[in-house]
Amino acid sequence: MNSSSADRRLYMLSRHLAGAIGNEGSGISSSPTSAGNSVFANVVRAPEDPILGVTVAYNKDPSPIKLNLGVGAYRTEEGKPLVLNVVRKAEQLLVNDRSRVKEYLPIIGLADFNKLSAKLILGSDSPAIQGNRVTTVQCLSGTGSLRVGAEFLSRHYYQRTIYIPNPTWGNHTKIFTLAGLTVKTYRYYDPVTRGLNIQGLLEDLSSAPSEAIVLLHACAHNPTGVDPTLEQWEQIRQLIRSKSLLPFFDSAYQGFASGSLDKDAQSVRMFVGDGGECFIAQSYAKNMGLYGERVGALSIVCRSADVASRVESQLKLVIRPMYSSPPIHGASIVATILKDRKLYDEWTLELKAMADRIITMRKQLFDALSARGTPGDWSHIIKQIGMFTFTGLNTKQVTFMTKEFHIYMTSDGRISMAGLSSRTVPHLADAIHAAVTTVG
């Protein structure tokens, strides 16, 4: 084709397009975007997350006495976020290591991190680890670990019902439902005793269909702070194994609850010790303060090394289309600390200091309420464990405390003990006393 012919074709094409754009009856002019409208104009505004929304409301409050007890993150006595000294040391070692590169990790993550995470929760002498019956994959903190595990179960486990405690962390229901599992609940908390409803728990799990999945909080139950005793854990274990139920542990607070890594892992180790199978989601958000690094692991304990190997191969197929491979920095921090005895020992000291401060806040709040003669039995505050306390305050009392005292917490009365300090305990005690005596 000569140049003049080509020019004429371009000219005619441009005239045709200009006419089409100018034609009011064409499909182009009726497009929502061409008229200045968004194709998402009908999208409704979603409600705030019930937990994260507390912080949103807190941030909008100009009061100088406001107090945020909804945040699920550790705070110092001065109310500031904490980066552990041992984490800073590990990061410096990583920065100084010129051999480190930024290449992709394998789909299942950093090998050292996976190996050390399994040992941390199961114990270095675990028969399951020694028998290569455990497959561990690095995931995006506890939430991501739960989500990967849920997706695997949805694809490869024929019993698609999971029982979760009532109450539980609000995200649990969403995670398992979106993975395609049917979520049911079992009784857990007794509002009368503000402790464990062990009878209701055992009855509900006894009624569950054989081989159903059961979600268990390894320690420091969120939101109640109520954990079974070792004797009660043994009752739960025997029942779960007798009905061939599949336990799925959520371990978000190992070492952060009691101050002892081994003590907080006892429930998991009881189940692994009997030779049965189980799932374990781990998070390093709380116990290493690595909230924003999103560091977690999913371990699946299997009957044999061959099964574990095949399970791992399928976990790769779950992870690959989700996020391809996990981030390297946070996992490298964890691995650096866990494999160095000096850093590990320093971590355990800092971890115990955090746990002890929370225990101290419990004692101070209990003493403050006792000194004020606040109606009711408040001993559950010192009996419960971990970051959160289920105060027993109702929604009206919570609303009253927010309005009159600028204290923010979730509507179910859950408070983060880590958000308290010796300076703010009297303010909270005054608010609780006023709410109980005024609102009732």
Tab-separated table of all heavy atoms in Angstrom, residues 24 35 37 50 70 95 97 105 124 138 173 179 197 221 223 246 250 264 273 290 292 305 307 315 325 346 387 409:
chain	number	residue	atom	x	y	z
A	24	GLU	N	-24.824	10.700	19.926
A	24	GLU	CA	-25.458	10.601	21.237
A	24	GLU	C	-26.111	9.245	21.459
A	24	GLU	O	-26.293	8.807	22.592
A	24	GLU	CB	-26.490	11.711	21.403
A	24	GLU	CG	-25.896	13.095	21.500
A	24	GLU	CD	-26.944	14.146	21.773
A	24	GLU	OE1	-28.127	13.792	21.830
A	24	GLU	OE2	-26.551	15.307	21.930
A	35	ALA	N	-20.003	9.774	31.531
A	35	ALA	CA	-20.928	10.770	32.071
A	35	ALA	C	-20.443	11.320	33.407
A	35	ALA	O	-21.146	12.061	34.078
A	35	ALA	CB	-22.318	10.165	32.220
A	37	ASN	N	-19.784	9.452	36.079
A	37	ASN	CA	-20.215	8.602	37.197
A	37	ASN	C	-19.223	7.468	37.419
A	37	ASN	O	-18.587	6.999	36.480
A	37	ASN	CB	-21.597	8.006	36.912
A	37	ASN	CG	-22.657	9.065	36.763
A	37	ASN	OD1	-22.639	10.060	37.482
A	37	ASN	ND2	-23.582	8.858	35.832
A	50	PRO	N	-15.346	-3.974	64.223
A	50	PRO	CA	-15.714	-3.698	65.612
A	50	PRO	C	-14.536	-3.486	66.553
A	50	PRO	O	-14.656	-2.804	67.560
A	50	PRO	CB	-16.529	-4.942	66.014
A	50	PRO	CG	-16.189	-5.981	65.004
A	50	PRO	CD	-15.886	-5.244	63.742
A	70	GLY	N	-8.902	-0.856	73.519
A	70	GLY	CA	-9.353	-1.770	72.488
A	70	GLY	C	-8.207	-2.345	71.680
A	70	GLY	O	-8.316	-3.425	71.107
A	95	VAL	N	21.259	-6.292	58.777
A	95	VAL	CA	21.703	-5.161	57.954
A	95	VAL	C	23.196	-5.262	57.664
A	95	VAL	O	23.654	-4.957	56.551
A	95	VAL	CB	21.376	-3.827	58.664
A	95	VAL	CG1	22.075	-2.662	57.964
A	95	VAL	CG2	19.870	-3.591	58.685
A	97	ASP	N	24.983	-7.900	57.420
A	97	ASP	CA	25.347	-9.085	56.650
A	97	ASP	C	25.249	-8.770	55.157
A	97	ASP	O	24.166	-8.777	54.574
A	97	ASP	CB	24.409	-10.248	57.014
A	97	ASP	CG	24.776	-11.538	56.297
A	97	ASP	OD1	25.710	-11.517	55.466
A	97	ASP	OD2	24.120	-12.568	56.560
A	105	LEU	N	11.664	-15.721	48.488
A	105	LEU	CA	11.750	-16.943	49.278
A	105	LEU	C	11.025	-18.056	48.521
A	105	LEU	O	10.200	-17.785	47.644
A	105	LEU	CB	11.076	-16.747	50.633
A	105	LEU	CG	11.825	-15.935	51.692
A	105	LEU	CD1	10.961	-15.794	52.941
A	105	LEU	CD2	13.147	-16.597	52.041
A	124	SER	N	11.824	-29.020	71.272
A	124	SER	CA	12.935	-29.517	70.446
A	124	SER	C	13.038	-31.041	70.468
A	124	SER	O	13.613	-31.651	69.565
A	124	SER	CB	14.258	-28.903	70.923
A	124	SER	OG	14.471	-29.192	72.297
A	138	GLN	N	5.757	-20.983	56.292
A	138	GLN	CA	5.697	-19.590	56.732
A	138	GLN	C	4.477	-18.925	56.108
A	138	GLN	O	4.211	-19.066	54.918
A	138	GLN	CB	6.968	-18.854	56.305
A	138	GLN	CG	7.004	-17.386	56.721
A	138	GLN	CD	8.167	-16.640	56.085
A	138	GLN	OE1	9.173	-17.249	55.726
A	138	GLN	NE2	8.029	-15.340	55.930
A	173	THR	N	-14.583	-16.424	62.514
A	173	THR	CA	-15.763	-16.800	61.725
A	173	THR	C	-15.580	-16.434	60.258
A	173	THR	O	-15.864	-17.235	59.355
A	173	THR	CB	-17.022	-16.116	62.280
A	173	THR	OG1	-17.215	-16.520	63.648
A	173	THR	CG2	-18.252	-16.491	61.476
A	179	ALA	N	-13.330	-19.461	53.517
A	179	ALA	CA	-12.594	-20.607	52.964
A	179	ALA	C	-13.542	-21.720	52.529
A	179	ALA	O	-13.107	-22.704	51.935
A	179	ALA	CB	-11.604	-21.131	54.002
A	197	ASN	N	-16.877	-22.555	80.914
A	197	ASN	CA	-18.047	-23.436	80.981
A	197	ASN	C	-17.617	-24.811	80.471
A	197	ASN	O	-17.930	-25.189	79.344
A	197	ASN	CB	-19.189	-22.860	80.140
A	197	ASN	CG	-20.458	-23.699	80.212
A	197	ASN	OD1	-20.487	-24.758	80.840
A	197	ASN	ND2	-21.510	-23.227	79.572
A	221	HIS	N	-6.925	-17.179	75.925
A	221	HIS	CA	-8.102	-17.123	75.062
A	221	HIS	C	-8.541	-15.687	74.819
A	221	HIS	O	-8.655	-14.879	75.742
A	221	HIS	CB	-9.248	-17.908	75.703
A	221	HIS	CG	-10.498	-17.925	74.880
A	221	HIS	ND1	-11.440	-16.921	74.959
A	221	HIS	CD2	-10.961	-18.806	73.961
A	221	HIS	CE1	-12.433	-17.200	74.126
A	221	HIS	NE2	-12.177	-18.334	73.513
A	223	PRO	N	-11.580	-13.455	73.322
A	223	PRO	CA	-11.378	-12.255	74.141
A	223	PRO	C	-11.456	-12.452	75.652
A	223	PRO	O	-11.309	-11.490	76.394
A	223	PRO	CB	-12.565	-11.386	73.698
A	223	PRO	CG	-13.667	-12.376	73.488
A	223	PRO	CD	-13.000	-13.595	72.919
A	246	LEU	N	-10.796	-33.175	64.666
A	246	LEU	CA	-9.493	-32.665	64.228
A	246	LEU	C	-9.220	-31.319	64.892
A	246	LEU	O	-9.868	-30.325	64.588
A	246	LEU	CB	-9.474	-32.511	62.704
A	246	LEU	CG	-8.172	-31.956	62.091
A	246	LEU	CD1	-6.996	-32.885	62.390
A	246	LEU	CD2	-8.329	-31.765	60.584
A	250	ASP	N	-4.959	-22.203	67.564
A	250	ASP	CA	-4.545	-20.840	67.241
A	250	ASP	C	-3.632	-20.396	68.376
A	250	ASP	O	-4.080	-20.180	69.508
A	250	ASP	CB	-5.762	-19.916	67.132
A	250	ASP	CG	-5.377	-18.507	66.674
A	250	ASP	OD1	-4.177	-18.229	66.533
A	250	ASP	OD2	-6.295	-17.681	66.464
A	264	ASP	N	3.071	-22.112	78.081
A	264	ASP	CA	2.014	-21.667	77.178
A	264	ASP	C	1.821	-22.603	75.988
A	264	ASP	O	0.845	-22.455	75.237
A	264	ASP	CB	2.303	-20.248	76.678
A	264	ASP	CG	2.164	-19.211	77.783
A	264	ASP	OD1	1.618	-19.549	78.850
A	264	ASP	OD2	2.604	-18.058	77.578
A	273	GLY	N	1.549	-35.129	71.634
A	273	GLY	CA	2.167	-36.239	72.348
A	273	GLY	C	1.408	-37.546	72.240
A	273	GLY	O	1.988	-38.620	72.452
A	290	LEU	N	6.297	-8.117	66.635
A	290	LEU	CA	6.483	-7.957	65.198
A	290	LEU	C	5.138	-7.804	64.473
A	290	LEU	O	4.902	-8.426	63.435
A	290	LEU	CB	7.261	-9.154	64.626
A	290	LEU	CG	8.687	-9.313	65.153
A	290	LEU	CD1	9.319	-10.608	64.636
A	290	LEU	CD2	9.549	-8.117	64.757
A	292	GLY	N	3.585	-5.462	62.629
A	292	GLY	CA	3.543	-5.018	61.244
A	292	GLY	C	4.398	-5.827	60.285
A	292	GLY	O	4.290	-5.673	59.074
A	305	ALA	N	5.674	-39.477	57.945
A	305	ALA	CA	6.517	-38.561	57.180
A	305	ALA	C	6.040	-38.465	55.734
A	305	ALA	O	6.085	-37.399	55.122
A	305	ALA	CB	7.970	-39.028	57.238
A	307	VAL	N	2.934	-38.786	54.600
A	307	VAL	CA	1.739	-37.939	54.548
A	307	VAL	C	2.128	-36.474	54.689
A	307	VAL	O	1.622	-35.601	53.965
A	307	VAL	CB	0.730	-38.335	55.655
A	307	VAL	CG1	-0.410	-37.321	55.723
A	307	VAL	CG2	0.172	-39.724	55.394
A	315	LEU	N	0.028	-27.728	50.171
A	315	LEU	CA	0.056	-26.387	50.773
A	315	LEU	C	0.683	-25.383	49.807
A	315	LEU	O	0.270	-24.219	49.741
A	315	LEU	CB	0.836	-26.410	52.088
A	315	LEU	CG	0.109	-27.015	53.297
A	315	LEU	CD1	1.075	-27.158	54.472
A	315	LEU	CD2	-1.087	-26.165	53.703
A	325	SER	N	4.742	-16.065	47.615
A	325	SER	CA	5.713	-16.448	48.646
A	325	SER	C	5.702	-15.370	49.725
A	325	SER	O	5.339	-14.224	49.456
A	325	SER	CB	7.123	-16.616	48.064
A	325	SER	OG	7.642	-15.375	47.645
A	346	GLU	N	17.945	-13.567	75.800
A	346	GLU	CA	17.554	-12.167	75.988
A	346	GLU	C	16.078	-11.970	75.646
A	346	GLU	O	15.357	-11.233	76.326
A	346	GLU	CB	18.433	-11.257	75.131
A	346	GLU	CG	18.150	-9.764	75.344
A	346	GLU	CD	19.111	-8.862	74.592
A	346	GLU	OE1	20.157	-9.354	74.115
A	346	GLU	OE2	18.818	-7.657	74.479
A	387	MET	N	-3.351	-10.909	77.326
A	387	MET	CA	-3.502	-9.500	77.026
A	387	MET	C	-4.879	-8.948	77.385
A	387	MET	O	-5.011	-7.809	77.803
A	387	MET	CB	-3.238	-9.263	75.534
A	387	MET	CG	-3.400	-7.813	75.095
A	387	MET	SD	-2.952	-7.547	73.368
A	387	MET	CE	-1.173	-7.604	73.473
A	409	MET	N	-13.328	0.799	74.431
A	409	MET	CA	-13.156	-0.653	74.439
A	409	MET	C	-14.216	-1.256	73.537
A	409	MET	O	-15.115	-0.549	73.067
A	409	MET	CB	-13.288	-1.206	75.862
A	409	MET	CG	-14.702	-1.060	76.435
A	409	MET	SD	-14.837	-1.604	78.149
A	409	MET	CE	-14.255	-0.126	78.978
